[in-house]
Amino acid sequence: MKKRLRHNKVRLRSKKGMSLVELLVAVTIIVLVFGGTVGAMANGYSSTLYNAQKTIDAAEGVSLNDIIFEGIENQYFESADECNKYFFGTGGTKNPNTDPTNSIHEAAKSVDSGVRYVTSADFPSTDSSIVLQYTIVTDSRSNVSTGLGSKEVSGVTIKTAVRTVEGIVTNTSFVPYGLDEE
């Protein structure tokens, strides 16, 4: 009888606990699951940051376009000559980037102090130091829809560009000449 009890005790003791192989398999499975979860979380986080930056950059470009649009609209230019004199002076001696009397460019700086005017021939500039830029075309024509059909009018085309994580994004708008106060 004593032999059987001893034999059972030995058998019970040998099944108690985990072997080293079982422990290594369990740890490996846990590491794989944890690694996959952390990888997915990191990928989701980086995608969120990337998309947020794209949205911020696009909003900055639209804001710049809106500010320049409102500035030109509030100046009530009657012609391309009048607009050219304001932006570039008589004989093209002014540069909007360095002219402190240009209230439109000064307002554009409220979006980003590094905003630059570039000529329409150089727009959009490939200079990587220019993140936010704009140009104006003072002798533009555009078809405007009215209640009686469409009519071709003269005005200013505003083009803005912002350098984003995906490249350069541009916005364009048109301000007709001769807008009266409402």
Side-chain angles (χ1 to χ4, degrees):
M1 175 99 166
K2 285 186 177 183
K3 279 187 176 180
R4 266 195 235 168
L5 287 176
R6 283 186 195 162
H7 184 46
N8 284 342
K9 281 185 179 180
V10 172
R11 236 201 269 155
L12 288 175
R13 281 187 186 168
S14 67
K15 290 196 174 208
K16 200 174 190 184
M18 299 173 72
S19 70
L20 183 59
V21 173
E22 291 170 329
L23 183 62
L24 288 175
V25 168
V27 168
T28 303
I29 290 171
I30 290 170
V31 167
L32 289 174
V33 169
F34 184 72
T37 303
V38 169
M41 288 172 47
N43 188 27
Y45 181 71
S46 66
S47 293
T48 300
L49 290 178
Y50 180 82
N51 290 335
Q53 189 60 49
K54 278 185 0 186
T55 303
I56 290 167
D57 292 342
E60 194 172 42
V62 170
S63 293
L64 176 63
N65 199 290
D66 287 347
I67 285 173
I68 296 170
F69 182 95
E70 288 177 18
I72 290 174
E73 186 178 51
N74 292 336
Q75 290 292 329
Y76 308 111
F77 295 122
E78 294 292 327
S79 68
D81 289 338
E82 193 177 318
C83 187
N84 280 326
K85 282 180 189 174
Y86 176 83
F87 273 97
F88 310 111
T90 307
T93 56
K94 286 184 183 178
N95 179 348
N97 293 318
T98 57
D99 179 13
T101 64
N102 187 326
S103 62
I104 295 171
H105 184 74
E106 292 301 313
K109 285 183 178 179
S110 69
V111 174
D112 185 320
S113 60
V115 68
R116 303 296 299 165
Y117 167 81
V118 295
T119 64
S120 58
D122 295 333
F123 184 84
S125 175
T126 56
D127 182 352
S128 62
S129 68
I130 302 175
V131 175
L132 199 55
Q133 58 188 294
Y134 72 96
T135 192
I136 58 169
V137 181
T138 59
D139 57 354
S140 296
R141 298 192 64 77
S142 181
N143 286 326
V144 177
S145 297
T146 65
L148 304 172
S150 69
K151 178 181 178 184
E152 188 173 79
V153 295
S154 298
V156 179
T157 297
I158 305 161
K159 296 179 182 179
T160 59
V162 62
R163 189 173 307 282
T164 69
V165 291
E166 286 190 337
I168 295 176
V169 176
T170 61
N171 296 291
T172 303
S173 57
F174 179 80
V175 184
Y177 288 127
L179 291 178
D180 294 331
E181 286 186 62
E182 293 180 15

